[in-house]
Amino acid sequence: MTDTKDPIDNLSYVANEAKKAVETDLESTGNSSLETFQHDSVTEKRLMRKIDIWFVGFYSLVYIFRVIDSANYSNAAIINLEQGTGIKKQLGFSPSQWAWTLSIFSYSYLIFEPSNTILLKYFQPSRWMFILVLAWGISACCSAAAQNFAGMMCVRFAIGMAEAGFFPSVLYHYAFWYKPSEMPQRIAFFYSVGQVSSALSGLLAFAISHMDQLGGLSGWRWLFLLEGLPAIVLAFVAFWIPDYPESTKYLTEDERTFWKNRLDANAPKGGKKHENWDWASLKSLGKDPTFYTFSLYWICHGIGGFGVGFALPTVIYQLGFTTTAKSQLMNIPPYIFAFLLLNTLGYMLQRKWIRPWTTAVGIESTIIICYIILLTVDNPVLDYYNVVYNLKKRS
């Protein structure tokens, strides 16, 4: 039978069918791509929550006790003074000796912070964190057994040596798991938790002051003993921290591949022992002017800010309107204020609402004014306000 249709009509029919087929294929491909994108987004959020719990959650918990270990030595200066069982009296510390036991921590911190961080490149993070946390937990407990100036100097030096590598090692470990754009908010939260733990140290010191002479131990000995025990427990938990995305057993093979692919191409890779030291990167750092300006700023920041924190309990007590027990509670507001301010500024900086250097200059200028008022105006309430504001510089 002869086809009576016009050839042009046949061509139009074929063209329409081809167009429909292409549109169907494009629609199918588009839906598939959308489904893949949605699936990747859900997977990323799910894995991010899991990884945040491992790293931000666990490390923040450890950091709470790390700050308590160092902050409570300042609280020990005034605990149970009225009862005559204070640490200075029992160990016979002169003002100079007390200052040395307070500052020796910073000397060991200064010496061992670079080396402790470099050693993380030679050890698995979980194993190195176990060593650091266990060492400072044991050293903190040993502070309770000190009988004289020499003994306290030894344990304080050991605590600083062990704690020195923790904070930079955490940041180094973060770099294996997070993009650079994801780091600031997590670092800000991690660091701000230290301010909360300083507040908790005051509350803890207030509670432990009522344990004075329990079991024949002074309150300050109970303080050191109880603050070191949680660190020892957390040290063994550190064994379960995932080391690197490439090797962790807590993710499936597909999840490990997905997480590695989402990181930057120049992100550090775990397990490369032949890349433990990179002289080219060190030379590049030495030529970066930002390194020197930041270092100078941090030195000035530490001189003015950390000194207030070390002496805060004594400063508040000497203001003259509180007992030693209540002064421990009055340590809490400055640190809560620092926590809120740090997270607020971190959020605003992350959103680019404010500029880093403008913020830094504004804060430092205000702090200088507060120090002038603190030195020239003799008013306890105003002095306490200035201490509160100056302490937040530590953030």
Side-chain angles (χ1 to χ4, degrees):
M1 184 177 180
T2 305
D3 189 358
T4 59
K5 289 185 178 180
D6 193 317
I8 295 179
D9 292 337
N10 286 333
L11 291 175
S12 299
Y13 173 78
V14 172
N16 287 332
E17 290 299 314
K19 181 180 179 182
K20 290 179 182 179
V22 171
E23 290 175 348
T24 302
D25 184 60
L26 288 174
E27 183 178 356
S28 175
T29 303
N31 290 336
S32 177
S33 299
L34 181 60
E35 290 175 0
T36 301
F37 173 78
Q38 292 175 342
H39 173 73
D40 289 348
S41 179
V42 171
T43 301
E44 184 176 28
K45 290 180 180 179
R46 176 175 57 82
L47 292 178
M48 184 66 76
R49 284 194 298 268
K50 184 186 297 186
I51 291 168
D52 281 342
I53 292 174
W54 284 334
F55 293 101
V56 181
F58 175 73
Y59 279 143
S60 296
L61 179 63
V62 176
Y63 192 51
I64 287 175
F65 292 100
R66 173 253 176 276
V67 174
I68 287 177
D69 285 347
S70 57
N72 257 344
Y73 192 72
S74 300
N75 294 107
I78 62 170
I79 193 171
N80 300 125
L81 284 181
E82 292 91 347
Q83 289 78 20
T85 55
I87 183 174
K88 295 180 182 179
K89 182 177 181 179
Q90 288 199 334
L91 298 187
F93 286 165
S94 67
S96 175
Q97 288 176 326
W98 173 257
W100 269 109
T101 60
L102 188 65
S103 62
I104 193 65
F105 171 88
S106 299
Y107 287 108
S108 60
Y109 211 102
L110 174 66
I111 295 170
F112 290 101
E113 188 172 44
S115 60
N116 284 2
T117 307
I118 293 172
L119 285 172
L120 184 61
K121 297 173 71 67
Y122 289 88
F123 294 94
Q124 289 180 303
S126 59
R127 302 300 181 264
W128 185 236
M129 288 299 179
F130 165 77
I131 295 172
L132 291 181
V133 180
L134 182 65
W136 92 53
I138 293 175
S139 299
C141 289
C142 289
S143 301
Q147 300 296 323
N148 49 42
F149 172 68
M152 187 59 74
M153 286 286 285
C154 289
V155 294
R156 288 286 296 167
F157 186 87
I159 293 174
M161 179 174 63
E163 291 186 4
F166 177 71
F167 189 86
S169 295
V170 170
L171 304 188
Y172 177 77
H173 198 188
Y174 276 6
F176 288 90
W177 289 87
Y178 295 110
K179 297 177 181 178
S181 60
E182 297 166 347
M183 295 274 281
Q185 188 174 3
R186 287 165 175 80
I187 293 174
F189 177 80
F190 169 67
Y191 187 68
S192 67
V193 165
Q195 311 305 315
V196 175
S197 63
S198 296
L200 292 177
S201 70
L203 186 61
L204 183 63
F206 170 77
I208 294 178
S209 67
H210 296 89
M211 297 175 61
D212 187 42
Q213 300 310 308
L214 179 65
L217 297 179
S218 301
W220 64 269
R221 294 189 188 275
W222 278 113
L223 183 67
F224 294 148
L225 185 63
L226 294 179
E227 75 184 12
L229 291 176
I232 295 176
V233 174
L234 289 171
F236 290 92
V237 179
F239 266 121
W240 302 94
I241 301 174
D243 291 311
Y244 309 110
E246 299 86 356
S247 60
T248 179
K249 298 178 181 179
Y250 300 112
L251 300 178
T252 65
E253 184 63 34
D254 291 340
E255 289 174 336
R256 286 196 293 268
T257 301
F258 174 82
W259 199 259
K260 286 189 297 182
N261 290 338
R262 70 178 293 278
L263 296 174
D264 294 338
N266 59 347
K269 303 295 188 296
K272 292 189 175 182
K273 299 302 180 183
H274 61 283
E275 294 182 0
N276 285 314
W277 189 260
D278 186 356
W279 287 103
S281 297
L282 184 63
K283 292 179 180 179
S284 176
L285 178 64
K287 297 177 181 179
D288 188 355
T290 305
F291 170 73
Y292 298 100
T293 55
F294 178 82
S295 298
L296 178 61
Y297 174 85
W298 188 249
I299 290 172
C300 297
H301 172 98
I303 292 173
F306 288 92
V308 174
F310 288 145
L312 182 65
T314 302
V315 170
I316 292 177
Y317 174 64
Q318 291 178 347
L319 290 179
F321 57 88
T322 178
T323 64
T324 55
K326 290 183 178 178
S327 70
Q328 304 286 9
L329 296 178
M330 294 188 70
N331 293 332
I332 297 176
Y335 292 108
I336 296 298
F337 177 64
F339 173 80
L340 295 176
L341 181 66
L342 176 62
N343 280 279
T344 300
L345 292 177
Y347 179 81
M348 295 173 70
L349 288 167
Q350 185 84 9
R351 297 280 181 170
K352 301 187 186 305
W353 294 349
I354 55 177
R355 299 180 62 183
W357 282 107
T358 304
T359 305
V361 171
I363 291 175
E364 297 301 319
S365 300
T366 307
I367 288 172
I368 291 173
I369 296 173
C370 287
Y371 270 120
I372 294 173
I373 297 174
L374 187 63
L375 292 171
T376 57
V377 179
D378 186 15
N379 184 295
V381 177
L382 186 59
D383 287 345
Y384 180 72
Y385 169 78
N386 281 305
V387 169
V388 170
Y389 189 85
N390 276 284
L391 186 67
K392 69 124 174 67
K393 180 180 180 180
R394 293 183 64 187
S395 63

